[in-house]
Amino acid sequence: MAPLAWAICCLLGGSLLCGGIHRPGPSVPRLQLSYRDLLSSNRSAIFLGPRGSLDLRAMYLDEYRDRLFLGGRDVLYSLRLDQGWPDSREVLWPPQPGQKEECVRKGRDLLTECANFVRLLQPYNRTHLLACGTGAFQPTCTLITVGHRGEHVLHLEPSSMESGRGRCPHEPSRPFASTSVDGALYTGLTADFLGREPMIFRSGGSRPALRSDSDQSLLNDPRFVMATRIPDNSDQDNDKVYFFFSETVPSPDGSPGRVTVSRVGRVCVNDAGGQRVLVSKWSSFLKARLVCSVPGPGGAETHFDHLEDVFLLWPKAGKSLEVYALFSAVSTVFQGFAVCVYHMADIWKVFNGPFAHRDGPQHQWGPYGGKVPFPRPGVCPSKMTAQPGRPFGSTKDYPDEVLQFVRAHPLMFRPVRPQRGRPVLVKTQLAQQLLQIVVDRVEAEDGTYDVIFLGTDSGSVLKVIALQAGDSAEPEEVVLEELQVFKMPAPITEMEISVKRQMLYVGSQLGVAQLRLHQCETYGSACAECCLARDPYCAWDGASCTRYRPNPSKRRFRRQDILHGNPALQCLDQSQEEEAAGLVAATTVYGMEHNSTFLECLPKSPQAAVHWFLQRPGDERPDRVKTDERVLQTEQGLLFRRLSHLDAGTYTCTTLEHGFSQTVVRLALEVIVASQLDSLFPLEPRQEEPPVRRGLASAPPKAWYKDILQLIGFANLPRVDEYCERVWCRGIGEHSGSWSRGKQAKGKGWVGMELGKKVKSRVQAERNRTPREVEAT
Ligand SMILES: *[C@@H]1O[C@H](CO)[C@@H](O)[C@H](O)[C@H]1NC(C)=O
Ligand SMILES: *[C@@H]1O[C@H](CO)[C@@H](O)[C@H](O)[C@H]1NC(C)=O
Ligand SMILES: CC(=O)N[C@H]1CO[C@H](CO)[C@@H](O)[C@@H]1O
C-alpha cells in the first residue's frame, strides 16, 4: 500500500480546501466491505452445509458448550466454535413416513412446504436440546442428544418424538417466538393448520399446560418476534415471560379499517390458570403498546409500528435492562426504519399503571376508573399476594372477579415510550430493508457506546453508532461499516452475538456466517484514519489501529475520538511524523492521445470529499483540475473523454474528511501520441481466439486487444486483475461444505481466462518498459 501523506488542511491548504465542500452525509457507510473482502481478510467464515445451501430456519448459539446448532430442511447441524476450522456434525430428520404424501394431498406444495423444516432449537437439559420441525405440516418435536460440554455428538432420540402442535408452526416461514423456562416451552404462534388460531402456549416441564383464551381481544393477528423470561425482582415467584409482537387491530379511534401496533405482553411463569374461570388458560396475560415515533411539525408524529426485531441488552449489576427494538413504517408515502430503546423499568411502570377500558366497540379507550380487585390482575402469586390472611398462593386461588377482570382488560392504558421519547436511529429512503438487530455495549476512551448491528434483506450487516451530544439534541448517526456477509442478496433471518468471542453469527436461508465484530487494521495504517473511523472498538496505539481495551492499571497511550472523530486533536504529532515520512510516490501511467482515459482514485471513505490537483512539467505548484465536458470527475476517478498531450503531468487525488486532507494517489500521466501506438501493439498470432463475449468475437485480434486496453485504460493497469475477473471469471462456484476462509474455489474457467492472463502479462510487460524503450521499438 502506498504510504499516506497527511496534512491538516486548514494549516497547509488554507481556505481553498476548507471552504464550500460538499460531502455525503454520515449515513453512508464509512467502510464498505464486499463478500470477498470479508473472506480474504478472515473477517468472516461461511458455513453452507455439504449441499451448498442450508435452507436455514433455526439457529441456537450455545455459549456454554461453545457450539452453534442449526436447523434446516430435514436436517440439523452442530458446529464447534472453539476450533480454528470448526468441524460439523449432521443429523438427518425427514418427516415421518407418509407425512409428505398427506401434506401434498391436503393441497400443500411438495417442494416448499412438505418437508420437515426445523424451526425451533431450545436448551432442554445439560445433555439435550429440544428441536421442533414443521413435519410436512404436522409439527413434530424431539429431543436431541448433544452431549456434555467438550463432547461433540449430535443424534436424535427417536423415542422422544411427539407432536409439536402448539410449539412450532405448521408453515416453514410464519413468524413465531418461543423460549424455554424450567423445562417448559413458552411459544407465541398460530397453532392450527390454516394459521388462523393465534395463541401463547405453554407445554412440557412440571407446570400445567396453558393456552390463551380464544377471545379475539387478546391477540389480533399477531406476528411474534421474541419471547424471553425476565425477572421482575429478586423474588423468583414474580418471574414473567415477555412476548414482543405486533398486532393488527381495529382503528383505535373507531374509524373503519385496521392498523398495526406493536406490543409487549407477559404471563407469569407460575401461572396455573383459574379454578372455575379461565381453566387451563392464562390468568395473568396483559399487554401494552410499544410506541416508537418521531415528533413532526404541528404535533403530528410519524409512527413506526411494525416490530421487526428485539434485542435485550442485559446490564451490569444494578442497572435496568434495556430493550432495543427495530421497527418499520410502511405507507404509500413513506418507508422507513427506526430503532427505539426502552428501559425495562418503564415497561413495568406501564403494567403497574391504569388498565385500558371502553364501554363498547364503538367507544373510545380510556383509563379504567373503577375499583381494581385484589390481587391486582396480572400479578403473579408470590410473597406479596400470599401474606397472612390473604391466601393467594396460586392463581387457582384468585377470586373469579380478578380473573374476569384480567380477561376483560388485557390491555394497559398507557403505552410504553422509548428513552428520550424518540428513536435513537431513524433510516429512511434505504435501498434495503432492516430485519435484525443486535447491540454491543462497548467501552471506549471517551465513554460507553452502543454499537448497533443491523441485518438487512440483502445479506449485509450495517454497523452503526448513534451519538448523543446533548440531552435534547437529535442523535447523530454514524454508519461505521457495511459488511456484505452473503454473496447473494438473501434476507438475514438470524443474528446472535457472542461478546465472549467478539463474534456475530449471522444466518440467512443460504447458510451462516461467523463475523468478527471489528477488524481495526482495515481502517488503515495512519493515526488519522483510525481516528476518522470513529469505531469504539478501535484506537491508535502509536503504531497501528488496534482493538481498544480499557485498562486503567496499564495506561498505554491510546488515541480515539468517537464523539467528534477529530484527528486534528488526536493525531497532530502523528500526522507530522507521517508527513515527514514523505509524500506519496507518483506512479507513472500512460494514456493514448485522442483516446479516453481514466485515472482512478477510490477513497476509503465515501464520506470524504475528493479533489484532483495537476502539476504540469515546469509548473511551480499544483493547481485544481478544471473539469468540463471533456474532463469529468466521477465517483471512481477522473475521466478524460479525449486525451490531449497537454493533459500530461502529475495528478494528485486528495480527500477531505472532518477537516483532514489525505493524498490517496499520485499519478504521473504520460500521453502517448498516436504515432507511437502501432509499434506498441503489433498483430497477435492468429491461433488465439478472442473470448465469445461482449461482441468482441468477430473483431480481429488486434482490435479486440486494443478494445480491452481501452476499456481498462492504461491508467488502470493495477486493476487488470479485477477486470479479468469481471469479464472472464464470473460465475465460478463458491466453496461450500465447510467453513471457507478466504479461499476462492477455482472452478471451471473458460477460454477467456487464459486470454485474460495473456493480456495481463502483456500489459505488465508494457508497464515495465520505460517510455524511452517504447520510443525505441
Ligand atoms: C486467515 O486465516 C488462515 C487460517 O487461519 C491463515 O492461514 C491466513 O493467513 C489468514 N489470513 C489473514 C489475511 O489473516
Ligand atoms: C436430559 O433429559 C433426557 C431425557 O429426559 C435424559 O435422558 C437425560 O438423562 C437428561 N440429562 C441430564 C443431564 O439430566
Ligand atoms: C475513441 C477513440 O478516439 N479511439 C481511438 C484510440 O486511438 C486509436 C489509435 O490512434 C484510434 O484508432 C481510435 O479511434
Side-chain angles (χ1 to χ4, degrees):
M1 186 184 287
L4 298 163
W6 286 93
I8 302 167
C9 88
C10 296
L11 296 181
L12 301 180
S15 56
L16 175 72
L17 281 175
C18 293
I21 302 295
H22 167 80
R23 65 187 167 88
S27 62
V28 181
R30 193 168 182 284
L31 193 67
Q32 277 176 302
L33 297 175
S34 70
Y35 173 75
R36 204 158 276 198
D37 293 338
L38 295 175
L39 287 184
S40 62
S41 62
N42 282 352
R43 179 79 181 268
S44 84
I46 303 268
F47 179 75
L48 301 174
R51 285 166 287 278
S53 171
L54 294 182
D55 217 340
L56 183 79
R57 308 290 165 148
M59 184 169 102
Y60 170 55
L61 175 63
D62 188 337
E63 295 232 56
Y64 170 74
R65 294 190 186 85
D66 285 323
R67 282 160 78 181
L68 188 67
F69 296 99
L70 307 172
R73 176 200 176 95
D74 299 336
V75 69
L76 290 159
Y77 294 98
S78 162
L79 306 179
R80 272 183 85 145
L81 303 176
D82 52 355
Q83 294 186 344
W85 192 279
D87 56 337
S88 66
R89 296 275 185 280
E90 182 192 69
V91 166
L92 296 180
W93 184 19
Q96 300 283 311
Q99 282 181 346
K100 234 181 170 124
E101 293 72 13
E102 199 181 328
C103 176
V104 174
R105 236 187 351 265
K106 286 183 182 161
R108 297 291 172 172
D109 185 67
L110 174 65
L111 282 178
T112 59
E113 296 181 305
C114 295
N116 183 32
F117 295 94
V118 179
R119 300 214 53 196
L120 180 145
L121 293 167
Q122 288 281 346
Y124 183 73
N125 63 19
R126 284 187 163 256
T127 50
H128 288 69
L129 295 189
L130 175 70
C132 301
T134 60
F137 266 77
Q138 292 184 42
T140 313
C141 293
T142 185
L143 293 179
I144 21 178
T145 310
V146 295
H148 287 280
R149 192 178 173 174
E151 291 177 88
H152 195 193
V153 295
L154 184 75
H155 50 84
L156 294 180
E157 294 282 345
S159 61
S160 67
M161 206 81 77
E162 58 183 1
S163 165
R165 230 185 135 139
R167 296 194 268 179
C168 174
H170 290 65
E171 302 89 341
S173 313
R174 182 184 288 268
F176 82 112
S178 69
T179 187
S180 69
V181 176
D182 306 334
L185 190 71
Y186 295 70
T187 308
L189 82 173
T190 49
D192 62 321
F193 185 82
L194 295 172
R196 289 193 193 141
E197 196 188 342
M199 65 160 88
I200 289 171
F201 187 67
R202 178 173 71 197
S203 61
S206 54
R207 300 184 193 276
L210 289 184
R211 51 167 294 169
S212 308
D213 197 17
S214 38
D215 180 343
Q216 277 304 294
S217 70
L218 287 187
L219 297 165
N220 291 283
D221 194 8
R223 189 179 175 279
F224 287 97
V225 166
M226 185 199 231
T228 185
R229 180 207 337 225
I230 299 174
D232 276 12
N233 49 37
S234 58
D235 184 359
Q236 269 196 12
D237 285 340
N238 268 322
D239 284 7
K240 298 182 182 72
V241 172
Y242 285 81
F243 288 87
F244 295 89
F245 56 103
S246 46
E247 285 190 295
T248 308
V249 298
S251 280
D253 54 6
S255 63
R258 297 170 82 79
V259 294
T260 299
V261 288
S262 290
R263 302 283 195 208
V264 51
R266 67 182 201 184
V267 293
C268 290
V269 168
N270 62 6
D271 195 334
Q275 190 67 27
R276 285 168 299 275
V277 184
L278 292 175
V279 179
S280 297
K281 307 272 172 64
W282 295 107
S283 65
S284 58
F285 177 78
L286 293 177
K287 64 181 179 181
R289 181 169 177 189
L290 284 177
V291 169
C292 184
S293 64
V294 183
E301 300 207 9
T302 304
H303 280 270
F304 297 84
D305 280 324
H306 290 254
L307 187 62
E308 298 285 345
D309 195 22
V310 166
F311 181 82
L312 302 182
L313 196 62
W314 291 97
K316 299 236 166 80
K319 291 240 177 103
S320 162
L321 171 67
E322 284 172 50
V323 178
Y324 267 82
L326 170 66
F327 297 87
S328 64
V330 185
S331 76
T332 45
V333 290
F334 174 78
Q335 177 177 15
F337 296 86
V339 174
C340 276
V341 190
Y342 305 89
H343 278 303
M344 201 58 215
D346 291 335
I347 295 180
W348 288 326
K349 253 185 234 154
V350 167
F351 281 113
N352 291 334
F355 295 91
H357 175 81
R358 62 177 172 179
D359 290 326
Q362 306 307 322
H363 290 75
Q364 292 270 338
W365 288 99
Y368 179 76
K371 185 175 176 291
V372 175
F374 183 88
R376 183 182 155 94
V379 160
C380 309
S382 69
K383 290 188 197 74
M384 293 299 291
T385 60
Q387 284 159 4
R390 292 175 155 182
F392 304 117
S394 157
T395 54
K396 289 199 185 232
D397 304 334
Y398 282 12
D400 289 355
E401 61 163 334
V402 169
L403 304 183
Q404 265 143 6
F405 186 98
V406 81
R407 183 190 214 170
H409 299 94
L411 180 65
M412 307 314 297
F413 175 66
R414 291 200 190 109
V416 185
R417 297 202 178 273
Q419 286 179 27
R420 297 171 197 269
R422 66 166 81 214
V424 290
L425 200 70
V426 175
K427 294 192 85 68
T428 55
Q429 297 159 348
L430 269 184
Q432 308 135 320
Q433 314 251 27
L434 303 179
L435 304 177
Q436 295 279 317
I437 183 169
V438 154
V439 180
D440 188 18
R441 185 156 286 173
V442 183
E443 273 190 54
E445 182 75 26
D446 60 354
T448 302
Y449 295 91
D450 288 352
V451 179
I452 304 172
F453 295 90
L454 297 164
T456 72
D457 66 340
S458 59
S460 64
V461 170
L462 300 175
K463 176 172 160 187
V464 185
I465 50 174
L467 300 174
Q468 191 73 48
D471 239 17
S472 57
E474 295 227 5
E476 181 200 353
E477 170 201 343
V478 183
V479 183
L480 304 169
E481 294 185 288
E482 177 169 8
L483 312 166
Q484 185 63 42
V485 180
F486 293 102
K487 192 179 177 190
M488 310 292 183
I492 288 179
T493 53
E494 313 277 344
M495 214 154 81
E496 298 280 346
I497 188 172
S498 166
V499 174
K500 179 173 100 179
R501 302 181 165 277
Q502 298 280 290
M503 288 286 187
L504 211 55
Y505 296 92
V506 184
S508 75
Q509 263 195 39
L510 299 173
V512 291
Q514 175 178 258
L515 184 70
R516 288 175 209 276
L517 300 180
H518 46 78
Q519 198 160 45
C520 300
E521 66 267 26
T522 324
Y523 291 121
S525 51
C527 175
E529 284 180 298
C530 192
C531 183
L532 284 169
R534 301 172 82 180
D535 188 328
Y537 291 112
C538 303
W540 181 253
D541 67 3
S544 58
C545 196
T546 50
R547 172 80 169 104
Y548 173 80
R549 279 176 217 287
N551 191 349
S553 60
K554 258 175 49 185
R555 264 208 112 75
R556 276 188 69 199
F557 171 77
R558 303 284 282 166
R559 294 169 195 235
Q560 198 189 37
D561 180 12
I562 311 305
L563 212 47
H564 310 290
N566 183 354
L569 294 174
Q570 297 295 318
C571 306
L572 186 51
D573 51 339
Q574 305 279 316
S575 65
Q576 280 166 344
E577 261 167 47
E578 284 158 18
E579 183 72 7
L583 290 167
V584 173
T587 311
T588 305
V589 297
Y590 302 98
M592 282 178 271
E593 195 184 16
H594 307 316
N595 257 317
S596 60
T597 207
F598 187 67
L599 303 183
E600 188 176 62
C601 174
L602 293 173
K604 277 211 192 86
S605 165
Q607 289 165 24
V610 176
H611 301 283
W612 282 92
F613 294 89
L614 165 62
Q615 187 162 17
R616 290 200 177 84
D619 280 359
E620 219 164 77
R621 33 180 261 137
D623 244 332
R624 280 288 281 276
V625 169
K626 289 182 189 61
T627 54
D628 49 29
E629 66 277 3
R630 192 180 65 85
V631 184
L632 298 170
Q633 186 172 338
T634 74
E635 267 176 40
Q636 285 83 33
L638 206 56
L639 176 69
F640 296 83
R641 285 210 166 121
R642 194 179 154 83
L643 201 60
S644 144
H645 66 273
L646 294 174
D647 292 326
T650 301
Y651 288 80
T652 309
C653 169
T654 63
T655 57
L656 186 66
E657 187 178 15
H658 280 234
F660 254 71
S661 145
Q662 174 193 10
T663 299
V664 180
V665 68
R666 268 157 60 82
L667 299 167
L669 176 66
E670 303 216 5
V671 179
I672 301 169
V673 294
S675 59
Q676 292 176 323
L677 193 67
D678 286 336
S679 55
L680 240 170
F681 293 100
L683 275 171
E684 285 298 314
R686 274 282 157 201
Q687 67 267 27
E688 283 185 30
E689 285 301 314
V692 192
R693 263 223 138 148
R694 304 223 163 158
L696 299 176
S698 55
K702 179 179 172 183
W704 73 258
Y705 257 62
K706 274 193 188 165
D707 254 339
I708 289 163
L709 288 168
Q710 194 174 325
L711 272 170
I712 58 184
F714 273 96
N716 289 322
L717 300 189
R719 303 191 74 86
V720 167
D721 248 316
E722 235 172 61
Y723 179 78
C724 290
E725 233 164 44
R726 268 214 307 271
V727 174
W728 288 301
C729 317
R730 226 195 297 210
I732 289 173
E734 281 311 316
H735 186 68
S736 61
S738 114
W739 299 90
S740 60
R741 288 189 182 271
K743 274 211 284 194
Q744 299 302 318
K746 292 275 181 283
K748 43 181 195 316
W750 40 300
V751 184
M753 242 175 105
E754 274 311 300
L755 288 172
K757 276 191 209 140
K758 282 205 179 123
V759 175
K760 193 173 138 190
S761 58
R762 181 61 182 263
V763 165
Q764 270 160 356
E766 290 303 335
R767 276 198 70 191
N768 295 338
R769 303 204 292 185
T770 64
R772 194 161 297 280
E773 280 177 283
V774 172
E775 259 169 40
T777 49

